[in-house]
Amino acid sequence: MGTEPILQRGETTTSIGRIKPELYKQKSVDSEDNRKEDVKTCGKLNFTLQYDYENELLVVKIIKALDLPAKDFMGTSDPYVKMYLLPDRKKKFQTRVHRKTLNPLFDETFQFPVAYDQLSNRKLHFSVYDFDRFSRHDMIGEVIFDNLFEASDLSREATVWKDIHCATTESIDLGEIMFSLCYLPTAGRMTLTVIKCRNLKAMDITGSSDPYVKVSLMCEGRRLKKKKTTTKKNTLNPVYNEAIIFDIPPENVDQVSLSIAVMDYDRVGHNEVIGVCRTGLDAEGLGRDHWNEMLTYHRKPITHWHPLLELPGRATSFDSQGSCPSPKPTSTP
């Protein structure tokens, strides 16, 4: 106490004392370990892995999940599992939905075409969901198996048990889209200007995407019209600044909504949905607030960022065509 520190070769001092880089490094490692310990788990997932050398396939069998959390009012869940072999998100598999159980027995086998020498660069991503017929499916949790050779060399079937990490906002982050809404009641014209997206989830094995935006005018679950932007190649942060215009009479503006889907263009296969959002009086949260703000400030473009969500279940058909009914007269007692 009270003595000046003796400097070793390569050390420096400041007005607050001696700097020891190794201490900072140790602190960083410790904090990472703490974060891992803080991750909440919500059950276990059991699966097997084996490599089919003759056909160059990774064979994954999802066996069962145990001790899942209850997501329904009845104290149960309707779980299913979605699976990718990252970094490729175009090829995905999904189990069947198992009704009213917290310990589902899946017993389903899936095959990923992949060369054996590529396995060290790939990782399995399992997402466990609770199916909901009428709204967006809730993500229960996920398992990321980043070392496929952890259990064996895969020449024989290897059984794996992994903790399911509870879903966080980071685990389901698909990116965001910025767009403006402007309504001219005298002309009956609504303009949605797609401005840009940021931090989109990569869909290609290259770690990028070829995104475009598809906007659908919806009425009571039916798609009346759809329009789309141009495609931006090889980017997760595309800039569009493209206006999409719909003719909507003032008497119908309360009955319609807009469904916005950010898509990944695929020249060979089918285009994949990266994420979706909705705006309208029947939307939730920001989607409803944005719509109301547009109706409050006519002729003024109202701009907001919207988080992208997973595509909801197929309870509502987005492919059926139709027309919006005329507004119903108010009933008098």
Side-chain angles (χ1 to χ4, degrees):
M1 295 288 290
T3 60
E4 289 294 322
I6 300 174
L7 291 181
Q8 301 296 324
R9 181 178 296 177
E11 291 183 338
T12 59
T13 60
T14 69
S15 59
I16 57 173
R18 188 194 299 183
I19 297 175
K20 291 186 175 182
E22 66 274 12
L23 294 181
Y24 293 93
K25 183 178 180 181
Q26 185 64 44
K27 184 177 180 181
S28 172
V29 171
D30 290 343
S31 63
E32 288 178 9
D33 290 341
N34 290 337
R35 279 200 300 273
K36 288 179 181 177
E37 292 173 4
D38 290 341
V39 173
K40 293 182 180 179
T41 60
C42 47
K44 289 182 176 292
L45 184 67
N46 179 211
F47 56 93
T48 66
L49 300 177
Q50 186 173 8
Y51 190 73
D52 180 344
Y53 293 91
E54 183 177 348
N55 298 302
E56 293 195 318
L57 297 170
L58 177 66
V59 182
V60 183
K61 182 177 182 180
I62 301 179
I63 301 175
K64 59 186 173 182
L66 293 179
D67 302 325
L68 297 179
K71 290 290 185 178
D72 301 339
F73 292 119
M74 303 298 290
T76 184
S77 291
D78 299 323
Y80 67 94
V81 179
K82 194 183 295 185
M83 178 174 50
Y84 298 94
L85 184 61
L86 299 178
D88 183 11
R89 296 186 66 86
K90 289 189 180 298
K91 183 84 171 175
K92 70 177 177 183
F93 291 109
Q94 182 175 311
T95 68
R96 294 186 298 273
V97 176
H98 289 253
R99 300 288 184 180
K100 295 181 172 51
T101 177
L102 303 180
N103 300 285
L105 180 63
F106 297 106
D107 203 21
E108 294 184 54
T109 302
F110 307 97
Q111 298 176 336
F112 289 97
V114 58
Y116 186 81
D117 59 6
Q118 289 294 313
L119 289 177
S120 58
N121 301 321
R122 311 296 287 274
K123 54 187 176 182
L124 279 169
H125 183 203
F126 302 89
S127 302
V128 185
Y129 285 87
D130 172 49
F131 175 83
D132 192 319
R133 180 180 299 175
F134 301 108
S135 65
R136 186 167 60 90
H137 302 179
D138 291 327
M139 184 175 178
I140 296 174
E142 64 181 349
V143 172
I144 299 178
F145 193 57
D146 51 12
N147 180 6
L148 299 179
F149 296 106
E150 180 180 304
S152 74
D153 64 357
L154 304 181
S155 59
R156 288 180 292 181
E157 188 176 77
T159 301
V160 182
W161 281 94
K162 282 292 179 182
D163 286 332
I164 300 170
H165 291 174
C166 293
T168 64
T169 53
E170 292 180 0
S171 61
I172 53 177
D173 184 18
L174 303 174
E176 296 176 282
I177 181 171
M178 176 193 280
F179 61 84
S180 69
L181 293 174
C182 182
Y183 186 59
L184 302 177
T186 52
R189 187 170 72 239
M190 180 179 295
T191 302
L192 182 150
T193 301
V194 180
I195 301 172
K196 58 185 174 180
C197 301
R198 65 184 177 192
N199 303 325
L200 295 180
K201 178 154 279 189
M203 301 294 283
D204 298 341
I205 196 169
T206 59
S208 191
S209 293
D210 299 326
Y212 68 93
V213 180
K214 182 172 66 175
V215 183
S216 300
L217 177 65
M218 308 293 297
C219 179
E220 297 181 351
R222 299 190 306 276
R223 185 173 66 191
L224 307 183
K225 293 182 181 179
K226 67 175 180 179
K227 299 183 180 182
K228 62 183 180 180
T229 67
T230 56
T231 300
K232 303 299 180 181
K233 296 289 186 180
N234 197 34
T235 177
L236 302 179
N237 299 281
V239 177
Y240 297 98
N241 291 317
E242 298 180 34
I244 292 176
I245 299 172
F246 294 104
D247 294 321
I248 305 173
E251 61 269 22
N252 292 124
V253 75
D254 290 345
Q255 299 171 309
V256 299
S257 63
L258 295 175
S259 173
I260 298 103
V262 180
M263 311 286 296
D264 177 46
Y265 173 76
D266 192 324
R267 188 165 52 88
V268 180
H270 62 282
N271 302 339
E272 291 279 346
V273 178
I274 298 175
V276 300
C277 66
R278 288 181 63 245
T279 182
L281 290 180
D282 61 345
E284 298 178 353
L286 180 58
R288 182 180 60 249
D289 296 343
H290 196 169
W291 189 269
N292 283 329
E293 199 174 349
M294 170 197 70
L295 295 179
T296 302
Y297 301 100
H298 290 158
R299 302 175 181 82
K300 179 183 177 183
I302 308 295
T303 305
H304 286 294
W305 282 103
H306 289 254
L308 294 173
L309 305 172
E310 289 236 337
L311 184 69
R314 296 176 181 173
T316 303
S317 171
F318 289 94
D319 294 322
S320 58
Q321 303 291 332
S323 59
C324 204
S326 57
K328 299 174 183 176
T330 55
S331 57
T332 54

